[in-house]
Amino acid sequence: MKRFFSCVMIVLLGLVPGPLSRASSSEEIVLSGVAGGGYVPGEILVKFKSETSDVAADGVHAAMGAVKKRNLDRRGGGGLQQVRLPNGMMVEEGVARYRNDPHVEYAEPNYLRHAMVLPNDPDFGQLWGLNNTGQTVNGTTGTVDADIDAPEAWDVTTGSSSVIVAVVDSGVDWNHLDLAANIWTNPGEIAANSTDDDGNGFIDDVHGWDFVDNDNDPTSEDTPGHGTHVSGTIAAVGNNSLGVTGIMWSAQIMPVRFLDASGSGSVSDEILAINYAVANGAKIINASYGDSSFSLSEFDTISAANTAGLLFVAAAGNAGANNDVKPSYPANYALPNIISVAASTQNDQLAFFSNFGATSVDLAAPGTNIRSTVNVPSEDYGFLQGTSMATPHVTGVAGLVASHDPLLTNAQIKTAILNSVDQKSAFSGKVLTGGRLNAFGAVQYPGGADLAVVETASPSPVTVSHDLTYTLTVSNRGLLDAASVVLTDTIPAGTSFVSATPSQGVCNAGSPVTCNLGGLADGAVATVTLVVVTDTTGAKSNTATVTSGTTDSVPANNSAAVSVKVKSASSGGGGGCGSVAPDVPLPPNGQLLFLAALFSPLFVVLARRRWKTIRTRPLFGNVS
């Protein structure tokens, strides 16, 4: 009973606020990590402390095997210097070693800077989905940065004329001044000679095919030109001082028509259109259409496109419905080459009309008040909205990724897009990734393996002589498989090894703990549950590091650490209040308040005033 009273008093007195913690009086410089944008290989910038002499600075370089290239400031002493690292030393290692030297104030990579590329197209300011500055577009004011970061992506690539994107839709106005230069031309066909020159079964298909009218003129025949609008978002010619710009400034848009003037088309014509795109070298298909009927023939055709290496980007639908419950096809087919797209607004919300699905819709992309090319006699540009408008944003980004690295497969392009979204609360539980498209993140997504380790500990805090469990999660976030993955963990001093259980591979016993996890495919995850017993009190910091036989694109996330406070048995923590046995029952709530008031006059008034309202409310659960 004595132990129980102590526990009650500790809990109740904990309700009284303690003194606020005070920040250090000295300023602390927080240095950024080495992950992020590019930097000059083999070089770093080193700032020596003001009291460091040139001789001392030169000694630091010599110990590192590095060479000072030049001073970058005017003051005496070591100052800021540009340093060439020794052959074989990675920038990350060099930065870490210099930062640990007592003479060094800071060290960092010699980062690269680029001209910020913006097109001169006069309507660019209305393309909020590409660059949202909070401007008002079509009567709606947006939120700054609720966009896909297109200008940042254009610093990496603006597209490539070698990437063929098939717009399977209502046709494309290939004579539109903002599209003509980016329209696909069949290299094996001679125009207007009434001959099937390339033997593909279609006569004079110089710029695609129309499967509605069965002719070689797949120009947009609907108003305002659904396929033309889609095409402008993907690849209207950029930086041509005209109209809008596409996400890809350069590309080849392949017009393949299967939707009629009313916007409807048969699955049979769709299948012919998809097969045409596959046979004629398309890399990506934009599918801004759909309906609720499952079609096995449609499924098989898209699956065959996957085998051929094509990415299939599909609109989720405009019914405001949950696709997890009521599917929309083709977006809902469980095929690895399909990306299903919802529509986002100028304020990073889910559009009211957009379908969604926590498991069936992959991501959101801008889909309201989208300005693009149209096929109207009196207008060349206009606004449309829908998941049909969101889908070409994703298609255009897929084209940028393919332009930046032509060797990527459709699966790798999909991985880059889905793993680089901007996480937004409005899309959490609404789409699989919980985020909105980010072009910049996609084009700079690691092209190799990218092993990352995350570490958690439970319980925290923990009582001395109790078990402490570390959960180590290793994931491969890159585009290539990682071979011979090894997780190493040196358990903290003052703890003893109990067990290490991996989800794959084997772990040794003792410290350091070494777990050979084997291979880890791109997107795969492995876990290790490491249990130790706490022998002494105090803070216990544990660090886990992962390595592999494959070059890692982002080594900065190869380690993770977690710190846990180990309390004495009398102070509680971890296993419960002090050393109360797990099977000691708590008294009823009324008795609990009575005892608290009895041993602490501070709570007498509280107990009297709140007796009626609190006595039926459980205050504490079972102690364990």
Side-chain angles (χ1 to χ4, degrees), residues 209-223:
W209 196 259
D210 182 343
F211 288 96
V212 178
D213 297 329
N214 197 31
D215 60 32
N216 64 351
D217 184 17
T219 53
S220 183
E221 296 183 18
D222 63 336
T223 300

mmCIF file with all atom_site columns, all heavy atoms in Angstrom, residues 209-223:
data_model
loop_
_atom_site.group_PDB
_atom_site.id
_atom_site.type_symbol
_atom_site.label_atom_id
_atom_site.label_alt_id
_atom_site.label_comp_id
_atom_site.label_asym_id
_atom_site.label_entity_id
_atom_site.label_seq_id
_atom_site.pdbx_PDB_ins_code
_atom_site.Cartn_x
_atom_site.Cartn_y
_atom_site.Cartn_z
_atom_site.occupancy
_atom_site.B_iso_or_equiv
_atom_site.pdbx_formal_charge
_atom_site.auth_seq_id
_atom_site.auth_comp_id
_atom_site.auth_asym_id
_atom_site.auth_atom_id
_atom_site.pdbx_PDB_model_num
ATOM 1   N N   . TRP A 1 209 ? -3.268  8.552  -85.858 1.00 0.00 ? 209 TRP A N   1
ATOM 2   C CA  . TRP A 1 209 ? -4.411  7.919  -86.531 1.00 0.00 ? 209 TRP A CA  1
ATOM 3   C C   . TRP A 1 209 ? -5.709  8.231  -85.793 1.00 0.00 ? 209 TRP A C   1
ATOM 4   O O   . TRP A 1 209 ? -5.723  8.394  -84.556 1.00 0.00 ? 209 TRP A O   1
ATOM 5   C CB  . TRP A 1 209 ? -4.210  6.406  -86.603 1.00 0.00 ? 209 TRP A CB  1
ATOM 6   C CG  . TRP A 1 209 ? -5.135  5.751  -87.597 1.00 0.00 ? 209 TRP A CG  1
ATOM 7   C CD1 . TRP A 1 209 ? -6.292  5.080  -87.330 1.00 0.00 ? 209 TRP A CD1 1
ATOM 8   C CD2 . TRP A 1 209 ? -4.993  5.741  -89.017 1.00 0.00 ? 209 TRP A CD2 1
ATOM 9   N NE1 . TRP A 1 209 ? -6.884  4.640  -88.488 1.00 0.00 ? 209 TRP A NE1 1
ATOM 10  C CE2 . TRP A 1 209 ? -6.091  5.037  -89.549 1.00 0.00 ? 209 TRP A CE2 1
ATOM 11  C CE3 . TRP A 1 209 ? -4.032  6.254  -89.897 1.00 0.00 ? 209 TRP A CE3 1
ATOM 12  C CZ2 . TRP A 1 209 ? -6.269  4.817  -90.907 1.00 0.00 ? 209 TRP A CZ2 1
ATOM 13  C CZ3 . TRP A 1 209 ? -4.191  6.043  -91.256 1.00 0.00 ? 209 TRP A CZ3 1
ATOM 14  C CH2 . TRP A 1 209 ? -5.306  5.325  -91.756 1.00 0.00 ? 209 TRP A CH2 1
ATOM 15  N N   . ASP A 1 210 ? -6.797  8.285  -86.578 1.00 0.00 ? 210 ASP A N   1
ATOM 16  C CA  . ASP A 1 210 ? -8.135  8.524  -86.071 1.00 0.00 ? 210 ASP A CA  1
ATOM 17  C C   . ASP A 1 210 ? -8.915  7.214  -86.166 1.00 0.00 ? 210 ASP A C   1
ATOM 18  O O   . ASP A 1 210 ? -9.273  6.775  -87.260 1.00 0.00 ? 210 ASP A O   1
ATOM 19  C CB  . ASP A 1 210 ? -8.819  9.612  -86.903 1.00 0.00 ? 210 ASP A CB  1
ATOM 20  C CG  . ASP A 1 210 ? -10.215 9.954  -86.411 1.00 0.00 ? 210 ASP A CG  1
ATOM 21  O OD1 . ASP A 1 210 ? -10.792 9.157  -85.636 1.00 0.00 ? 210 ASP A OD1 1
ATOM 22  O OD2 . ASP A 1 210 ? -10.725 11.015 -86.804 1.00 0.00 ? 210 ASP A OD2 1
ATOM 23  N N   . PHE A 1 211 ? -9.177  6.581  -85.001 1.00 0.00 ? 211 PHE A N   1
ATOM 24  C CA  . PHE A 1 211 ? -9.887  5.306  -84.984 1.00 0.00 ? 211 PHE A CA  1
ATOM 25  C C   . PHE A 1 211 ? -11.401 5.494  -84.911 1.00 0.00 ? 211 PHE A C   1
ATOM 26  O O   . PHE A 1 211 ? -12.136 4.505  -84.935 1.00 0.00 ? 211 PHE A O   1
ATOM 27  C CB  . PHE A 1 211 ? -9.387  4.442  -83.826 1.00 0.00 ? 211 PHE A CB  1
ATOM 28  C CG  . PHE A 1 211 ? -8.008  3.906  -84.053 1.00 0.00 ? 211 PHE A CG  1
ATOM 29  C CD1 . PHE A 1 211 ? -6.892  4.564  -83.530 1.00 0.00 ? 211 PHE A CD1 1
ATOM 30  C CD2 . PHE A 1 211 ? -7.808  2.762  -84.816 1.00 0.00 ? 211 PHE A CD2 1
ATOM 31  C CE1 . PHE A 1 211 ? -5.611  4.074  -83.762 1.00 0.00 ? 211 PHE A CE1 1
ATOM 32  C CE2 . PHE A 1 211 ? -6.530  2.270  -85.040 1.00 0.00 ? 211 PHE A CE2 1
ATOM 33  C CZ  . PHE A 1 211 ? -5.425  2.927  -84.521 1.00 0.00 ? 211 PHE A CZ  1
ATOM 34  N N   . VAL A 1 212 ? -11.871 6.731  -84.836 1.00 0.00 ? 212 VAL A N   1
ATOM 35  C CA  . VAL A 1 212 ? -13.302 6.999  -84.924 1.00 0.00 ? 212 VAL A CA  1
ATOM 36  C C   . VAL A 1 212 ? -13.724 7.021  -86.384 1.00 0.00 ? 212 VAL A C   1
ATOM 37  O O   . VAL A 1 212 ? -14.669 6.329  -86.796 1.00 0.00 ? 212 VAL A O   1
ATOM 38  C CB  . VAL A 1 212 ? -13.659 8.338  -84.242 1.00 0.00 ? 212 VAL A CB  1
ATOM 39  C CG1 . VAL A 1 212 ? -15.153 8.627  -84.396 1.00 0.00 ? 212 VAL A CG1 1
ATOM 40  C CG2 . VAL A 1 212 ? -13.264 8.314  -82.765 1.00 0.00 ? 212 VAL A CG2 1
ATOM 41  N N   . ASP A 1 213 ? -13.021 7.812  -87.206 1.00 0.00 ? 213 ASP A N   1
ATOM 42  C CA  . ASP A 1 213 ? -13.329 7.919  -88.632 1.00 0.00 ? 213 ASP A CA  1
ATOM 43  C C   . ASP A 1 213 ? -12.462 7.004  -89.488 1.00 0.00 ? 213 ASP A C   1
ATOM 44  O O   . ASP A 1 213 ? -12.615 6.974  -90.718 1.00 0.00 ? 213 ASP A O   1
ATOM 45  C CB  . ASP A 1 213 ? -13.144 9.364  -89.095 1.00 0.00 ? 213 ASP A CB  1
ATOM 46  C CG  . ASP A 1 213 ? -14.102 10.317 -88.393 1.00 0.00 ? 213 ASP A CG  1
ATOM 47  O OD1 . ASP A 1 213 ? -15.219 9.877  -88.058 1.00 0.00 ? 213 ASP A OD1 1
ATOM 48  O OD2 . ASP A 1 213 ? -13.726 11.484 -88.168 1.00 0.00 ? 213 ASP A OD2 1
ATOM 49  N N   . ASN A 1 214 ? -11.529 6.300  -88.839 1.00 0.00 ? 214 ASN A N   1
ATOM 50  C CA  . ASN A 1 214 ? -10.626 5.372  -89.523 1.00 0.00 ? 214 ASN A CA  1
ATOM 51  C C   . ASN A 1 214 ? -9.875  6.061  -90.676 1.00 0.00 ? 214 ASN A C   1
ATOM 52  O O   . ASN A 1 214 ? -9.880  5.604  -91.823 1.00 0.00 ? 214 ASN A O   1
ATOM 53  C CB  . ASN A 1 214 ? -11.376 4.150  -90.052 1.00 0.00 ? 214 ASN A CB  1
ATOM 54  C CG  . ASN A 1 214 ? -10.435 3.001  -90.390 1.00 0.00 ? 214 ASN A CG  1
ATOM 55  O OD1 . ASN A 1 214 ? -9.388  2.854  -89.760 1.00 0.00 ? 214 ASN A OD1 1
ATOM 56  N ND2 . ASN A 1 214 ? -10.793 2.202  -91.376 1.00 0.00 ? 214 ASN A ND2 1
ATOM 57  N N   . ASP A 1 215 ? -9.216  7.186  -90.318 1.00 0.00 ? 215 ASP A N   1
ATOM 58  C CA  . ASP A 1 215 ? -8.406  7.881  -91.313 1.00 0.00 ? 215 ASP A CA  1
ATOM 59  C C   . ASP A 1 215 ? -7.146  8.430  -90.646 1.00 0.00 ? 215 ASP A C   1
ATOM 60  O O   . ASP A 1 215 ? -6.922  8.252  -89.448 1.00 0.00 ? 215 ASP A O   1
ATOM 61  C CB  . ASP A 1 215 ? -9.205  8.987  -92.006 1.00 0.00 ? 215 ASP A CB  1
ATOM 62  C CG  . ASP A 1 215 ? -9.708  10.053 -91.047 1.00 0.00 ? 215 ASP A CG  1
ATOM 63  O OD1 . ASP A 1 215 ? -9.028  10.322 -90.035 1.00 0.00 ? 215 ASP A OD1 1
ATOM 64  O OD2 . ASP A 1 215 ? -10.797 10.632 -91.295 1.00 0.00 ? 215 ASP A OD2 1
ATOM 65  N N   . ASN A 1 216 ? -6.320  9.095  -91.464 1.00 0.00 ? 216 ASN A N   1
ATOM 66  C CA  . ASN A 1 216 ? -5.020  9.562  -90.970 1.00 0.00 ? 216 ASN A CA  1
ATOM 67  C C   . ASN A 1 216 ? -5.073  11.001 -90.469 1.00 0.00 ? 216 ASN A C   1
ATOM 68  O O   . ASN A 1 216 ? -4.050  11.681 -90.414 1.00 0.00 ? 216 ASN A O   1
ATOM 69  C CB  . ASN A 1 216 ? -3.966  9.437  -92.069 1.00 0.00 ? 216 ASN A CB  1
ATOM 70  C CG  . ASN A 1 216 ? -4.271  10.336 -93.265 1.00 0.00 ? 216 ASN A CG  1
ATOM 71  O OD1 . ASN A 1 216 ? -5.340  10.927 -93.355 1.00 0.00 ? 216 ASN A OD1 1
ATOM 72  N ND2 . ASN A 1 216 ? -3.319  10.420 -94.198 1.00 0.00 ? 216 ASN A ND2 1
ATOM 73  N N   . ASP A 1 217 ? -6.260  11.488 -90.074 1.00 0.00 ? 217 ASP A N   1
ATOM 74  C CA  . ASP A 1 217 ? -6.405  12.868 -89.629 1.00 0.00 ? 217 ASP A CA  1
ATOM 75  C C   . ASP A 1 217 ? -6.982  12.919 -88.217 1.00 0.00 ? 217 ASP A C   1
ATOM 76  O O   . ASP A 1 217 ? -8.177  13.189 -88.036 1.00 0.00 ? 217 ASP A O   1
ATOM 77  C CB  . ASP A 1 217 ? -7.318  13.630 -90.601 1.00 0.00 ? 217 ASP A CB  1
ATOM 78  C CG  . ASP A 1 217 ? -7.423  15.104 -90.248 1.00 0.00 ? 217 ASP A CG  1
ATOM 79  O OD1 . ASP A 1 217 ? -6.571  15.586 -89.476 1.00 0.00 ? 217 ASP A OD1 1
ATOM 80  O OD2 . ASP A 1 217 ? -8.370  15.763 -90.727 1.00 0.00 ? 217 ASP A OD2 1
ATOM 81  N N   . PRO A 1 218 ? -6.143  12.662 -87.198 1.00 0.00 ? 218 PRO A N   1
ATOM 82  C CA  . PRO A 1 218 ? -6.642  12.643 -85.826 1.00 0.00 ? 218 PRO A CA  1
ATOM 83  C C   . PRO A 1 218 ? -6.675  14.026 -85.185 1.00 0.00 ? 218 PRO A C   1
ATOM 84  O O   . PRO A 1 218 ? -6.332  14.183 -84.012 1.00 0.00 ? 218 PRO A O   1
ATOM 85  C CB  . PRO A 1 218 ? -5.628  11.738 -85.114 1.00 0.00 ? 218 PRO A CB  1
ATOM 86  C CG  . PRO A 1 218 ? -4.347  12.019 -85.826 1.00 0.00 ? 218 PRO A CG  1
ATOM 87  C CD  . PRO A 1 218 ? -4.716  12.286 -87.262 1.00 0.00 ? 218 PRO A CD  1
ATOM 88  N N   . THR A 1 219 ? -7.037  15.061 -85.951 1.00 0.00 ? 219 THR A N   1
ATOM 89  C CA  . THR A 1 219 ? -7.164  16.376 -85.351 1.00 0.00 ? 219 THR A CA  1
ATOM 90  C C   . THR A 1 219 ? -8.413  16.425 -84.482 1.00 0.00 ? 219 THR A C   1
ATOM 91  O O   . THR A 1 219 ? -9.365  15.682 -84.686 1.00 0.00 ? 219 THR A O   1
ATOM 92  C CB  . THR A 1 219 ? -7.247  17.467 -86.433 1.00 0.00 ? 219 THR A CB  1
ATOM 93  O OG1 . THR A 1 219 ? -8.285  17.133 -87.345 1.00 0.00 ? 219 THR A OG1 1
ATOM 94  C CG2 . THR A 1 219 ? -5.937  17.585 -87.179 1.00 0.00 ? 219 THR A CG2 1
ATOM 95  N N   . SER A 1 220 ? -8.368  17.314 -83.516 1.00 0.00 ? 220 SER A N   1
ATOM 96  C CA  . SER A 1 220 ? -9.466  17.403 -82.561 1.00 0.00 ? 220 SER A CA  1
ATOM 97  C C   . SER A 1 220 ? -10.737 17.853 -83.247 1.00 0.00 ? 220 SER A C   1
ATOM 98  O O   . SER A 1 220 ? -10.764 18.874 -83.929 1.00 0.00 ? 220 SER A O   1
ATOM 99  C CB  . SER A 1 220 ? -9.098  18.384 -81.442 1.00 0.00 ? 220 SER A CB  1
ATOM 100 O OG  . SER A 1 220 ? -10.099 18.443 -80.474 1.00 0.00 ? 220 SER A OG  1
ATOM 101 N N   . GLU A 1 221 ? -11.805 17.068 -83.075 1.00 0.00 ? 221 GLU A N   1
ATOM 102 C CA  . GLU A 1 221 ? -13.075 17.399 -83.703 1.00 0.00 ? 221 GLU A CA  1
ATOM 103 C C   . GLU A 1 221 ? -14.160 17.697 -82.669 1.00 0.00 ? 221 GLU A C   1
ATOM 104 O O   . GLU A 1 221 ? -15.334 17.788 -83.000 1.00 0.00 ? 221 GLU A O   1
ATOM 105 C CB  . GLU A 1 221 ? -13.521 16.259 -84.624 1.00 0.00 ? 221 GLU A CB  1
ATOM 106 C CG  . GLU A 1 221 ? -12.571 16.038 -85.787 1.00 0.00 ? 221 GLU A CG  1
ATOM 107 C CD  . GLU A 1 221 ? -13.054 14.956 -86.747 1.00 0.00 ? 221 GLU A CD  1
ATOM 108 O OE1 . GLU A 1 221 ? -14.249 14.623 -86.700 1.00 0.00 ? 221 GLU A OE1 1
ATOM 109 O OE2 . GLU A 1 221 ? -12.227 14.459 -87.517 1.00 0.00 ? 221 GLU A OE2 1
ATOM 110 N N   . ASP A 1 222 ? -13.759 17.837 -81.405 1.00 0.00 ? 222 ASP A N   1
ATOM 111 C CA  . ASP A 1 222 ? -14.714 18.247 -80.392 1.00 0.00 ? 222 ASP A CA  1
ATOM 112 C C   . ASP A 1 222 ? -14.472 19.710 -80.042 1.00 0.00 ? 222 ASP A C   1
ATOM 113 O O   . ASP A 1 222 ? -13.488 20.306 -80.464 1.00 0.00 ? 222 ASP A O   1
ATOM 114 C CB  . ASP A 1 222 ? -14.608 17.379 -79.141 1.00 0.00 ? 222 ASP A CB  1
ATOM 115 C CG  . ASP A 1 222 ? -13.254 17.502 -78.453 1.00 0.00 ? 222 ASP A CG  1
ATOM 116 O OD1 . ASP A 1 222 ? -12.271 17.855 -79.134 1.00 0.00 ? 222 ASP A OD1 1
ATOM 117 O OD2 . ASP A 1 222 ? -13.169 17.254 -77.247 1.00 0.00 ? 222 ASP A OD2 1
ATOM 118 N N   . THR A 1 223 ? -15.372 20.302 -79.320 1.00 0.00 ? 223 THR A N   1
ATOM 119 C CA  . THR A 1 223 ? -15.213 21.680 -78.860 1.00 0.00 ? 223 THR A CA  1
ATOM 120 C C   . THR A 1 223 ? -15.319 21.664 -77.332 1.00 0.00 ? 223 THR A C   1
ATOM 121 O O   . THR A 1 223 ? -16.265 21.115 -76.787 1.00 0.00 ? 223 THR A O   1
ATOM 122 C CB  . THR A 1 223 ? -16.320 22.575 -79.445 1.00 0.00 ? 223 THR A CB  1
ATOM 123 O OG1 . THR A 1 223 ? -16.241 22.535 -80.862 1.00 0.00 ? 223 THR A OG1 1
ATOM 124 C CG2 . THR A 1 223 ? -16.154 24.018 -78.988 1.00 0.00 ? 223 THR A CG2 1
#
